[in-house]
């Protein structure tokens, strides 16, 4: 009986580990830890610009730069390849101890085919365009043309071979993005003659007769196209591969946003028809950062955010993505053009995330072993703004009430119409012991029973209740039961590369509201080590 049980145990373990490695076989995504920044579109089109920008990116504290590889500049004459820019990016990255993610600006960039070389653009007979339903040609090469695919694939193959020759065994290139924000515009699907032919042949098949169905059908064909490129890349140089998507925000309908790209609602189609692509990644510019991120942190899709508006909130958003979703990376867009007032927040947050790396990677591993990127693993991310200002985390018997810093009633900046966002990574080190790495947050710790018996109270900075508010702060007649959690100490710390904590200073007295909470002001970036005790 015992032997049989053991057999099944081993069988399940083997199956599970095979499943894990099958899901992420190519390109070891687990190794990715991208503190990134994406360059603005034209920033790497000359050697002089590359030379200028790369040291600047290193000085900002990035470990990875996302840089376009431009088809029009690589193959200005059909069949003749120029690797000057690609090589320069790699050389300068190495000089500055940076990793590179190349963005293949091939046939599609933000839906359009603007990065195709002129010889390709001009020959619309050989390289046909996608069309709207009423026959208007778009500056979008048709995904249904084998000639289009072959032209794209030829140069992409050369690119991958070139990267393999230059980088195999060194590993400066950590990932490849295939195309950029693929999607149909104006209509939900391509109506060009080639597309129509395919449509008649395969029909909508399993997709409904609606514009949503059109989008799904189109998504299948974009995914099939990308899959062929992904297989080429994988055979030549085995680095992780991803595709990025512009979000279908603000209730737009298919055709009104770049449709049929790797959007969350099309993820099952993209996963099915482009299985070699490791990651579907969201470009998050619109409001609702948390919601978009959540939709892409899936059991079969680790979260990587290749583009996000570079602003004063970028730092805390990065902390949230790593803390809550065990993200593989984060990258504000056009970081090379952003003012120092904004990039400062990226630099500060990355300084914390870099120190937290061991803890984050361990938590990520734990989650992934459970088969999901967001399993309970003793780590959380919080992100707050003026509207969304509180979250209660339940960690066994400990309740962590986390809030935006401006919920403390004494900071004059709280009166502003809009609040700079606050956020943090919260990591349980051991029982009753936490690390909080963040900015603009306050955290209270209570036992479950204490939280249930909690009464609403507003205390001033001095800890006094407001006049006439005393009754609210005293017992409500019922007898108190259970134990309470107190703060043993709150220390500001630095974390060494091996994970050990180095004491900077103690936050007691006014700095932890006489033992009531741990907090980090808006604009400050700190790691707090909180030790609790019960009484
Ligand atoms: C998303 C694209 O992927 C980028 O290349 C750039 O065009 C930005 N949008 C601009 O906001």
């Amino acid at each position: 009986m015992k032997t049989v049980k053991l057999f099944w145990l081993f069988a399940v373990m083997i199956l599970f580990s095979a499943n894990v490695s099958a899901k992420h076989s190519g390109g070891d995504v687990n190794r990715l830890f991208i503190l990134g920044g994406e360059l603005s579109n034209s920033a790497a089109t000359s050697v002089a610009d590359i030379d200028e920008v790369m040291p600047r990116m290193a000085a900002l504290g990035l470990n990875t730069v996302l840089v376009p590889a431009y088809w029009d500049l690589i193959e200005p004459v059909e069949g003749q390849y120029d690797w000057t820019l690609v090589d320069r990016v790699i050389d300068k990255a190495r000089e500055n101890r940076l990793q590179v993610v190349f963005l293949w600006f091939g046939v599609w960039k933000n839906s359009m085919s603007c990065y195709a070389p002129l010889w390709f653009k001009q020959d619309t007979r050989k390289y046909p365009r996608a069309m709207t339903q009423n026959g208007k040609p778009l500056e979008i090469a048709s995904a249904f043309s084998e000639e289009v695919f072959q032209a794209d694939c030829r140069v992409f193959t050369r690119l991958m071979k070139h990267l393999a020759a230059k980088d195999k065994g060194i590993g400066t290139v950590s990932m490849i993005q295939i195309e950029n924000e693929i999607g149909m515009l104006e209509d939900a699907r391509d109506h060009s003659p080639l597309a129509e032919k395919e449509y008649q042949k395969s029909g909508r098949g399993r997709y409904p007769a609606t514009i949503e169905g059109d989008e799904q059908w189109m998504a299948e064909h974009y995914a099939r196209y990308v899959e062929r490129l992904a297989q080429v890349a994988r055979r030549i140089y085995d680095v992780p591969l991803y595709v990025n998507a512009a979000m279908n925000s603000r209730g737009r309908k298919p055709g009104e946003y770049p449709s049929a790209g790797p959007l969350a609602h099309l993820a099952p189609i993209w996963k099915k028809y482009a299985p070699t692509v490791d990651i579907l990644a969201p470009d998050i510019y619109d409001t609702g950062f948390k919601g978009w991120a959540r939709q892409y942190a899936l059991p079969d899709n680790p979260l990587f955010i290749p583009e996000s508006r570079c602003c004063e909130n970028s730092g805390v958003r990065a902390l949230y993505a790593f803390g809550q979703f065990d993200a593989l990376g984060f990258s504000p867009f056009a970081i090379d053009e952003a003012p120092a007032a904004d990039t400062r927040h990226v630099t500060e947050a990355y300084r914390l995330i870099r120190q937290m790396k061991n803890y984050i990677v361990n938590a990520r591993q734990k989650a992934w072993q459970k088969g999901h990127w967001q399993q309970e693993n003793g780590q959380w991310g919080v992100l707050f703004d003026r509207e969304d200002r509180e979250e209660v985390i339940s960690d066994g018997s400990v309740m962590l009430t986390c809030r935006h810093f401006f919920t403390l009633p004494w900071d004059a900046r709280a009166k502003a119409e809009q609040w700079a966002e606050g956020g943090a990574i919260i990591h349980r080190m051991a029982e009753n012991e936490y690390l909080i790495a963040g900015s603009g947050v306050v955290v209270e710790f209570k036992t479950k029973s204490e939280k249930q018996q909690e009464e609403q109270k507003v205390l001033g900075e001095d800890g006094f209740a407001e006049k006439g508010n005393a009754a609210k702060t005293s017992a409500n007649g019922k007898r108190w039961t259970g134990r309470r959690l107190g703060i043993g100490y709150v220390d500001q710390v630095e974390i060494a590369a091996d994970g050990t904590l180095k004491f900077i200073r103690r936050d007691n007295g006014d700095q932890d509201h006489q033992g009531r909470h741990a907090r980090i002001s808006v604009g400050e970036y700190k790691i707090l080590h909180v030790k609790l005790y019960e009484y």
Side-chain angles (χ1 to χ4, degrees):
M1 185 63 191
K2 230 180 184 174
T3 340
V4 173
K5 264 192 188 159
L6 268 178
F7 168 80
W8 282 113
L9 182 68
F10 282 126
V12 166
M13 279 168 67
I14 287 164
L15 264 177
F16 179 71
S17 57
N19 188 30
V20 167
S21 54
K23 267 183 189 156
H24 290 286
S25 58
D28 189 356
V29 295
N30 271 305
R31 284 219 308 266
L32 296 173
F33 193 83
I34 296 180
L35 303 176
E38 180 163 326
L39 297 187
S40 54
N41 291 167
S42 305
T45 58
S46 83
V47 164
D49 285 353
I50 293 166
D51 290 358
E52 184 277 327
V53 81
M54 295 302 263
R56 207 150 50 81
M57 294 302 100
L60 286 181
L62 314 186
N63 66 15
T64 306
V65 187
L66 283 68
V67 189
Y70 313 96
W71 183 11
D72 58 345
L73 296 178
I74 289 174
E75 196 185 4
V77 178
E78 189 171 0
Q80 292 179 24
Y81 305 96
D82 182 345
W83 304 111
T84 310
L85 299 175
V86 167
D87 286 346
R88 195 68 168 199
V89 166
I90 295 175
D91 293 342
K92 285 289 149 185
R94 286 181 186 157
E95 246 176 73
N96 290 284
R97 297 166 159 271
L98 290 163
Q99 302 276 120
V100 175
V101 171
F102 274 115
L103 317 172
W104 174 233
F105 282 12
V107 152
W108 298 299
K109 196 278 173 188
N110 297 31
S111 303
M112 310 289 279
S113 297
C114 50
Y115 281 93
L118 189 56
W119 56 262
F120 176 101
K121 285 179 181 166
Q122 280 174 331
D123 197 348
T124 50
R125 198 188 266 274
K126 188 166 179 189
Y127 307 115
R129 301 301 179 81
M131 286 178 183
T132 61
Q133 202 162 1
N134 67 2
K136 180 171 102 182
L138 302 166
E139 199 173 358
I140 299 176
S142 176
F144 297 91
S145 158
E146 187 60 20
E147 292 288 355
V148 166
F149 175 78
Q150 287 304 334
D152 192 6
C153 188
R154 263 192 307 275
V155 57
F156 185 67
T157 305
R158 292 293 190 122
L159 171 67
M160 291 312 301
K161 284 187 175 164
H162 188 80
L163 295 180
K166 195 170 167 71
D167 199 49
K168 238 181 206 167
I170 302 175
T172 303
V173 179
S174 51
M175 186 150 60
I176 303 288
Q177 177 188 293
I178 303 180
E179 312 289 347
N180 189 83
E181 291 194 351
I182 289 171
M184 263 300 288
L185 284 174
E186 301 195 31
D187 270 332
R189 72 168 178 88
D190 182 357
H191 290 269
S192 65
L194 284 175
E196 286 305 315
K197 202 169 145 204
E198 179 61 38
Y199 193 75
Q200 299 314 325
K201 202 172 83 191
S202 63
R204 219 180 239 122
R206 48 212 162 275
Y207 305 115
T210 57
I211 50 165
E212 287 77 17
D214 276 3
E215 186 189 33
Q216 290 163 18
W217 179 79
M218 192 68 213
E220 175 183 326
H221 290 281
Y222 273 140
R224 284 179 185 275
Y225 182 110
V226 167
E227 172 64 12
R228 292 172 75 188
L229 292 182
Q231 286 185 13
V232 166
R234 177 102 331 133
R235 273 199 300 274
I236 299 171
Y237 192 22
D238 190 8
V239 291
L241 303 166
Y242 77 98
V243 284
N244 63 333
M247 299 295 91
N248 50 333
S249 38
R250 304 177 193 209
R252 293 183 183 100
K253 294 238 171 314
E256 295 168 358
Y257 56 82
S259 307
L263 286 149
H265 66 283
L266 303 169
I269 295 175
W270 273 85
K271 287 286 175 190
K272 179 167 177 194
Y273 293 102
T276 307
V277 172
D278 300 292
I279 307 168
L280 313 180
D283 292 347
I284 310 179
Y285 288 89
D286 224 322
T287 50
F289 183 89
K290 287 162 106 169
W292 295 117
R294 187 175 303 117
Q295 291 185 57
Y296 279 82
L298 303 169
D300 58 352
N301 195 65
L303 180 65
F304 170 60
I305 303 175
E307 292 184 43
S308 173
R309 201 159 62 81
C310 192
C311 61
E312 66 172 346
N313 297 322
S314 297
V316 289
R317 289 174 182 176
L319 288 159
Y320 174 71
F322 278 95
Q324 181 66 11
F325 299 118
D326 309 306
L328 301 180
F330 179 85
S331 161
F333 178 71
I335 192 164
D336 54 306
E337 292 181 336
D342 290 339
T343 56
R344 166 181 101 75
H345 295 275
V346 178
T347 304
E348 294 263 31
Y350 284 2
R351 182 174 58 78
L352 305 189
I353 297 171
R354 192 178 260 116
Q355 291 179 63
M356 292 284 293
K357 182 173 176 182
N358 281 340
Y359 294 96
I360 293 171
V361 169
N362 283 343
R364 183 202 282 180
Q365 234 71 52
K366 254 193 223 164
W368 186 231
Q369 274 153 18
K370 291 182 184 174
H372 199 293
W373 294 93
Q374 316 178 39
Q375 282 291 329
E376 140 55 18
N377 59 0
Q379 184 175 280
W380 304 263
V382 290
L383 184 65
F384 303 118
D385 58 24
R386 198 169 193 269
E387 286 67 46
D388 174 13
R389 50 174 74 179
E390 177 179 313
E391 185 179 332
V392 180
I393 294 169
S394 169
D395 182 24
S397 63
V398 182
M399 307 289 276
L400 296 87
T401 305
C402 312
R403 299 193 180 97
H404 194 290
F405 185 85
F406 289 161
T407 55
L408 297 172
W410 56 78
D411 194 311
R413 294 174 294 175
K415 293 202 178 75
E417 279 286 298
Q418 241 191 333
W419 290 359
E421 290 173 12
I425 299 171
I426 300 175
H427 186 98
R428 188 208 315 118
M429 291 183 76
E431 197 185 347
N432 288 341
E433 192 172 355
Y434 295 88
L435 289 172
I436 304 171
S439 175
V441 292
V442 190
V443 184
E444 283 173 10
F445 301 86
K446 296 203 157 91
T447 61
K448 252 193 187 136
S449 68
E450 186 181 0
K451 182 78 186 162
Q452 278 156 8
Q453 294 170 86
E454 180 184 65
E455 290 156 47
Q456 203 50 48
K457 48 187 174 179
V458 180
L459 300 186
E461 193 169 7
D462 51 10
F464 296 1
E466 273 174 50
K467 190 165 176 284
N469 199 18
K472 289 192 185 158
T473 68
S474 67
N476 58 8
K478 283 199 205 124
R479 187 148 184 84
W480 177 273
T481 55
R483 292 170 71 76
R484 299 189 68 187
L485 267 180
I487 287 184
Y489 56 82
V490 178
D491 287 343
Q492 289 180 37
V493 294
E494 253 171 29
I495 306 178
D498 66 358
T500 53
L501 308 186
K502 187 173 156 255
F503 175 87
I504 300 177
R505 68 177 62 84
R506 178 146 294 186
D507 276 2
N508 203 348
D510 293 343
Q511 277 64 56
D512 71 350
H513 210 207
Q514 333 303 330
R516 290 184 182 88
H517 61 218
R519 70 173 192 246
I520 308 167
S521 182
V522 170
E524 288 183 343
Y525 288 80
K526 290 178 184 166
I527 303 178
L528 302 180
H529 175 214
V530 182
K531 185 89 179 97
L532 307 170
Y533 73 99
E534 282 188 32
Y535 63 98

